[in-house]
Amino acid sequence: MASAASKPVWDIFCKVVDNFGDAGVCWRVASLLHLEHGLAVRLWIDRPQTLRALRPDMDADAPRQQLEGVEVIDWSKSSPDPASATVVIEAFGCGLPDGYVTAMAGLPRPPLWIVLDYLSAESWVDSHHGLASPHPSLALPRWYFYPGFTAATGGLPRERDLLSRRDAFDVRARAGFFSDFGMTVPDAAVLTVSLFAYADAPVADLLSALAEDSSPTLLLVPAGAVVPAVKAFFETTADQTSRGNLEVRLLPFLPQSRYDELLWATDLNFVRGEDSFVRAQWAGKPMVWQPYRQDDGAHQRKLEAFMQRYTADLDPAAGAAVTAFTAAWSAGAPVRALWPALRAARGEWARNALGWSRKLADLGEMSAKLVEFVRNKVK
Ligand code: TRH
């Protein structure tokens, strides 16, 4: 690949508010734009340590480094300059540095400024995607780009080969995954589940339901916010434990690429926020989503809008079970009584989840849509 200096550069600005989603999404977009569209990309991130959790091969202390061809820059240690940029992406409305904006306004051809927003399945996204939002005082055009679930939105990020890699993850690959964590492949009768959620999820209630179930479950829990609740439930600090028909394994926090394998290796995935939520949909497996809680209740509207789309082609009983369980789970309400219906919906749900992933893939991919968006604006 040519160096950033010889090519038009896309600057992506990422502020880590909390958790992993900001870094996770920004890294994906940066990497897709470089690897699949041949663009020179600089990712300005204010907390590289967060990205390091997802990419353990990176150096969290380096002021700048190349990561798979993307220049990752610690924004807290450098002052960005827009001189070589053709496009600037302000991720999740994080705000651009004042000096950068002023310098942009002084350029004969300022870079195209795109505000990449959060993902939502709400219908208003269709009409807001691509809207102009000029800077209030400087002569700088700015555009809103919304990811989403319809062809009228910016779509969802996905590597070109993701679904084929998923489909090639066969019995042997799955066995390899379990073996890497010191496990043998569970018997076909065992329901395998992964759990990634916020600390307020009703974890103890879920564990009770699984322990009491007449069929066995293996629950895999990567390191994170729910681990204290799991340990409290079992009254142990051990990484491997069981009660009734439930066996639990605590895993380390996985590199982002391995996390995909976890989603492919299990029958049901509990996911949260934005990026794990999207990856679970690409996994084509049943999933229970816990949206990121927002003070104004926006997460509730996002959940309802998504569930309507997600369950539209499910048979009504399965759809009702999935919707009721997800609503309770994401609100931190009791789920124990709802579990049997969710488990019973599994066959129909699994078929539907695979179809859902194909349907989303037909809508257009986000990095390609970003490139097309820019091409149309910079004519
Ligand atoms: O960490 P999150 O809760 O991030 C959230 C949301 O993005 C939310 O919208 C945003 O406002 C807030 O951050 C600031 O959940 P999310 O989006 O799923 O990001 C988790 C990332 O971590 C995702 O890229 C998958 C990755 N991951 C791993 O790489 N390994 C793991 O073991 C696990 C559990 C996750």
Side-chain angles (χ1 to χ4, degrees):
M1 281 289 162
S3 73
S6 63
K7 279 188 147 193
V9 176
W10 285 41
D11 273 334
I12 301 179
F13 284 89
C14 175
K15 252 188 203 153
V16 176
V17 179
D18 57 9
N19 304 320
F20 302 100
D22 306 294
V25 173
C26 290
W27 168 251
R28 264 189 215 296
V29 176
S31 149
L32 279 166
L33 288 171
H34 174 69
L35 291 177
E36 304 206 349
H37 303 281
L39 295 162
V41 180
R42 288 189 297 223
L43 174 59
W44 301 85
I45 180 164
D46 66 340
R47 277 159 63 182
Q49 308 83 312
T50 303
L51 184 55
R52 188 172 186 280
L54 314 176
R55 296 285 320 215
D57 53 335
M58 80 174 260
D59 178 354
D61 298 319
R64 352 184 125 223
Q65 65 198 289
Q66 290 291 327
L67 199 59
E68 280 181 11
V70 172
E71 188 174 11
V72 177
I73 307 170
D74 185 339
W75 179 5
S76 69
K77 294 180 181 155
S78 312
S79 296
D81 173 355
S84 53
T86 47
V87 178
V88 53
I89 298 181
E90 176 193 344
F92 307 127
C94 68
L96 299 183
D98 290 344
Y100 188 94
V101 175
T102 313
M104 262 169 84
L107 292 171
R109 267 187 82 112
L112 189 82
W113 184 349
I114 295 174
V115 180
L116 172 64
D117 220 301
Y118 287 107
L119 173 63
S120 173
E122 290 162 281
S123 55
W124 59 261
V125 173
D126 285 13
S127 56
H128 284 64
H129 172 60
L131 285 187
S133 159
H135 188 276
S137 54
L138 298 168
L140 287 172
R142 190 169 52 175
W143 307 90
Y144 275 104
F145 188 98
Y146 283 90
F149 295 90
T150 69
T153 68
L156 300 172
R158 171 176 51 87
E159 303 79 44
R160 271 184 207 130
D161 65 351
L162 180 66
L163 300 195
S164 54
R165 283 192 288 118
R166 174 199 73 184
D167 294 342
F169 189 78
D170 57 8
V171 175
R172 244 177 88 184
R174 185 168 182 261
F177 180 85
F178 280 102
S179 142
D180 286 350
F181 294 98
M183 291 178 265
T184 50
V185 181
D187 192 88
V190 177
L191 179 74
T192 50
V193 181
S194 81
L195 177 60
F196 180 46
Y198 297 111
D200 60 353
V203 173
D205 217 43
L206 173 70
L207 299 177
S208 298
L210 300 179
E212 287 161 5
D213 197 317
S214 57
S215 302
T217 299
L218 170 65
L219 182 69
L220 304 175
V221 189
V226 296
V227 169
V230 173
K231 288 184 171 169
F233 179 86
F234 287 101
E235 297 174 334
T236 177
T237 54
D239 285 353
Q240 182 183 354
T241 182
S242 64
R243 183 184 298 176
N245 246 336
L246 170 64
E247 188 188 334
V248 172
R249 290 283 193 138
L250 301 183
L251 304 180
F253 192 84
L254 306 173
Q256 218 181 27
S257 52
R258 277 240 110 168
Y259 182 63
D260 278 328
E261 293 182 12
L262 175 66
L263 298 174
W264 300 341
T266 46
D267 302 311
L268 167 64
N269 295 301
F270 285 76
V271 288
R272 73 183 201 191
E274 182 157 328
D275 194 52
S276 58
F277 166 57
V278 172
R279 300 310 275 189
Q281 291 170 72
W282 293 135
K285 296 284 183 74
M287 71 163 191
V288 174
W289 179 40
Q290 186 182 24
Y292 181 78
R293 194 177 287 273
Q294 289 167 270
D295 292 340
D296 57 0
H299 61 287
Q300 197 55 40
R301 295 189 289 279
K302 281 188 177 181
L303 179 67
E304 280 160 22
F306 174 74
M307 292 312 291
Q308 271 184 19
R309 293 187 195 276
Y310 183 62
T311 59
D313 295 334
L314 268 174
D315 83 45
V322 174
T323 301
F325 189 96
T326 307
W329 175 256
S330 62
V335 289
R336 202 164 168 179
L338 301 170
W339 172 253
L342 192 80
R343 188 163 187 147
R346 205 164 65 79
E348 153 77 1
W349 190 11
R351 276 188 296 283
N352 199 266
L354 198 58
W356 174 252
S357 71
R358 294 194 185 115
K359 196 165 147 179
L360 291 183
D362 286 342
L363 294 177
E365 189 278 326
M366 186 174 127
S367 65
K369 286 196 157 201
L370 261 171
V371 171
E372 190 192 352
F373 186 80
V374 168
R375 199 179 298 128
N376 290 337
K377 295 283 176 243
V378 186
K379 270 179 192 160

